[in-house]
Amino acid sequence: MARAPWLWPLLRSPTRRFFSARASGWDERTGAGGVEHLTPLAAAALRVGRAPERVLDVGCGTGEGTLFFAREFPQARVRGVDLSEEMIAAAVAKVGLDPEGRIAFKVGDAAALPHPDDSFDLVAQLNMPPFFEELVRVLRPGGYVIVVSSWGSRTPFYTRPGLLRWKFLERGVEPVEIGAAGAGTFYVGRLEGGD
Ligand SMILES: C[S@@+](CC[C@H](N)C(=O)[O-])C[C@H]1O[C@@H](n2cnc3c(N)ncnc32)[C@H](O)[C@@H]1O
């Protein structure tokens, strides 16, 4: 998707069906929320220079990355968005349904995020193909981007660091750190502007 975003309209429905069919029992089968899953995310979060007020986890699945951010940044309002209703239902089951609460989840497509421009100061995605245009659109000037592959190049939606660096730089996002932690890899960038 990072190289050919125009294919997404063809892939959207099969992708949604694929993940919806697997939402039940996802955490147990994949280890979501476990140490291996979250280690590179924790390493990336340490590179965020300023505690964010609003965080978005794109392609949040069952919400384990979103809940990590809620623990890591206790002052932040944290949102998770995912294409699959079943994944969102599994995430909501962990925190309850409160769309205005500190932690909330909703169904939405990363290719057309259901959020206004400049609305988050940290936008993250974990084990998800990046939709660069939208990630940057919803980011405030000076805000941070995190892209994590929990199992490095073995991650099904792995995107090469060079491609992340280049595609974000084209949109005004400077790399802060590109690294590895545990079995995974991470990219942290910062959008120009802000104070
Ligand atoms: C491999 S799972 C990762 C879930 C979670 N981030 C994690 O690491 O546990 C990929 C998730 O991305 C979601 N997804 C795929 N394409 C998406 C898109 N265009 N917009 C929103 N969610 C998407 C899927 O529904 C699925 O829940």
Side-chain angles (χ1 to χ4, degrees):
M1 287 320 309
R3 284 185 179 280
W6 55 89
L7 285 177
W8 180 241
L10 293 176
L11 298 176
R12 183 186 291 115
S13 293
T15 302
R16 183 191 290 122
R17 280 197 299 275
F18 179 88
F19 285 105
S20 292
R22 287 160 181 78
S24 168
W26 175 268
D27 292 353
E28 294 73 17
R29 280 198 315 279
T30 67
V35 172
E36 197 170 70
H37 181 225
L38 295 180
T39 292
L41 183 61
L46 290 175
R47 274 71 179 183
V48 173
R50 183 167 61 182
E53 292 169 8
R54 288 186 53 86
V55 180
L56 178 65
D57 178 16
V58 179
C60 64
T62 60
E64 288 299 326
T66 322
L67 296 176
F68 168 84
F69 284 121
R71 291 190 295 272
E72 187 70 13
F73 301 116
Q75 309 304 325
R77 289 163 66 81
V78 182
R79 299 289 179 260
V81 63
D82 198 283
L83 193 61
S84 156
E85 272 180 36
E86 285 77 358
M87 285 289 191
I88 289 295
V92 166
K94 295 174 182 173
V95 295
L97 185 61
D98 180 4
E100 297 308 317
R102 191 169 89 78
I103 308 169
F105 296 96
K106 76 160 111 170
V107 175
D109 185 350
L113 285 169
H115 308 282
D117 296 358
D118 303 349
S119 46
F120 294 95
D121 33 26
L122 172 59
V123 177
Q125 54 165 73
L126 188 53
N127 309 315
M128 242 296 283
F131 289 79
F132 297 98
E133 210 65 54
E134 281 294 274
L135 291 179
V136 176
R137 180 184 67 74
V138 300
L139 196 59
R140 289 176 180 158
Y144 286 81
V145 180
I146 290 179
V147 178
V148 162
S149 294
S150 292
W151 299 277
S153 58
R154 292 185 296 119
T155 310
F157 284 130
Y158 177 70
T159 307
R160 283 188 305 103
L163 189 61
L164 292 172
R165 174 195 285 270
W166 169 47
K167 291 283 186 184
F168 279 123
L169 261 177
E170 281 187 332
R171 294 166 174 84
V173 178
E174 294 277 343
V176 171
E177 186 156 342
I178 298 176
T185 52
F186 63 86
Y187 165 96
V188 182
R190 184 166 188 256
L191 181 60
E192 61 198 13
D195 41 357

